[in-house]
Amino acid sequence: MTEVDKSVYDKLIEYQDILMDKFKLEELMDGLPKVIASKNEILSRLKKTYLTKHKQYKKLEENLLSYDKKVSELKLEQADLEERIKATKTQKEFEVVDKSIRDRKEREEELHAQMEQDKEVINALRSAIGDYEIDMKRQEDDISREQERINAELAKIKKSMEELEAKEKEVVDGIDEEFRAKFEKIVRNKEGRGIVAVTRGYCTGCHLVLPQEFINKVRSNDKIYFCPNCSRTLYFKEDDASNGENIFSAFGSGDDDDEFFNVED
């Protein structure tokens, strides 16, 4: 059985390193927008509270105008009643008019008290609204600066990604496309270790002790083999007691490999 060029192993090692660098860049790209999202969420909460306080402020101002109008009406009514009381002819008529005057004065006092309370709240809201306007402006400026920084970082990442993709294109030349897709899954799911040695009778990726018959297949270097437990790509490596010669797996295709390949989603 003809062995495939062992340089494929070196290509896979290099491809594995490229993939890990790409995954790190992808992680950075995914993380950068989250920074802005967090800051925008803070700004959104500030704006929501600001609008609530602003509505309260406007409502209280409207109330003050309404109260002031009502006080003016009460004063006019009192003036009219005071003229009427002068013209009363009986005690009963006097008492009725006098009670109306006292009722309107009492209502006027209540309105003045309510107006004073509302003015205190308005002053507090005016101060809070001013503070929120300052905080919102600071947050918007912070977001603007952060967006500029992110844009600069994304430009660097994009450039690095383009360089990696160009390098990847050279490295994977000659490696089966379907295998590359499987290998990329392994590297992603196995913390960057997509290809490992079989030595001293076990897989150095997951430390599973392998049957001798299967080890002999890996050692034969006739095609690619995968660990039946962790799905990593395997190559054979002599242990320390041997002459130190490394024999790497050769890469090919075949339906009989599928039973060994079970990459986690």
Side-chain angles (χ1 to χ4, degrees), residues 65-233:
L65 291 174
S66 175
Y67 295 155
D68 191 58
K69 182 180 179 181
K70 186 62 178 176
V71 167
S72 296
E73 291 173 353
L74 288 170
K75 286 183 178 297
L76 289 174
E77 290 174 4
Q78 288 175 41
D80 181 61
L81 287 168
E82 286 171 355
E83 288 298 320
R84 283 175 56 190
I85 202 169
K86 295 176 183 179
T88 57
K89 296 179 179 180
T90 65
Q91 181 64 28
K92 184 176 181 180
E93 186 180 356
F94 177 87
E95 290 175 353
V96 171
V97 177
D98 183 63
K99 183 177 185 307
S100 295
I101 293 173
R102 285 187 282 108
D103 287 345
R104 281 158 178 76
K105 284 184 177 180
E106 184 179 344
R107 178 58 181 155
E108 182 182 347
E109 290 174 357
E110 290 174 353
L111 288 171
H112 277 299
Q114 185 64 54
M115 289 171 70
E116 289 303 314
Q117 290 180 16
D118 287 356
K119 284 178 181 178
E120 289 182 9
V121 177
I122 284 175
N123 289 333
L125 284 172
R126 186 183 292 115
S127 176
I129 287 170
D131 291 340
Y132 272 96
E133 288 174 345
I134 293 171
D135 289 343
M136 287 189 297
K137 181 64 169 60
R138 285 174 178 170
Q139 189 68 9
E140 287 170 350
D141 291 344
D142 188 28
I143 289 172
S144 179
R145 288 191 298 270
E146 189 65 22
Q147 188 62 63
E148 290 179 3
R149 185 189 71 80
I150 286 175
N151 290 341
E153 286 294 320
L154 286 174
K156 291 179 182 178
I157 290 173
K158 183 179 179 181
K159 183 179 179 181
S160 298
M161 188 68 79
E162 289 173 351
E163 292 173 354
L164 284 171
E165 287 173 350
K167 189 176 180 181
E168 176 184 3
K169 188 175 180 181
E170 295 179 3
V171 171
V172 300
D173 184 40
I175 299 178
D176 179 70
E177 185 175 346
E178 182 179 353
F179 169 74
R180 292 205 310 266
K182 291 180 178 181
F183 186 73
E184 181 175 338
K185 272 190 175 183
I186 297 171
V187 174
R188 188 183 294 275
N189 294 334
K190 302 300 180 180
E191 299 179 348
R193 297 188 66 201
I195 181 166
V196 295
V198 173
T199 187
R200 298 187 179 182
Y202 65 88
C203 166
T204 55
C206 65
H207 301 95
L208 175 72
V209 176
L210 300 167
Q212 187 60 48
E213 182 180 355
F214 181 66
I215 294 173
N216 290 337
K217 288 183 179 181
V218 176
R219 185 173 187 173
S220 70
N221 198 36
D222 61 333
K223 63 178 182 180
I224 187 170
Y225 288 94
F226 306 99
C227 174
N229 181 55
C230 68
S231 300
R232 290 181 173 92
T233 305

Side-chain angles (χ1 to χ4, degrees), residues 28-45:
L28 283 174
M29 290 178 71
D30 290 340
L32 286 173
K34 293 178 182 178
V35 177
I36 286 290
S38 176
K39 292 181 179 295
N40 278 323
E41 185 179 347
I42 293 172
L43 179 60
S44 178
R45 289 199 299 267

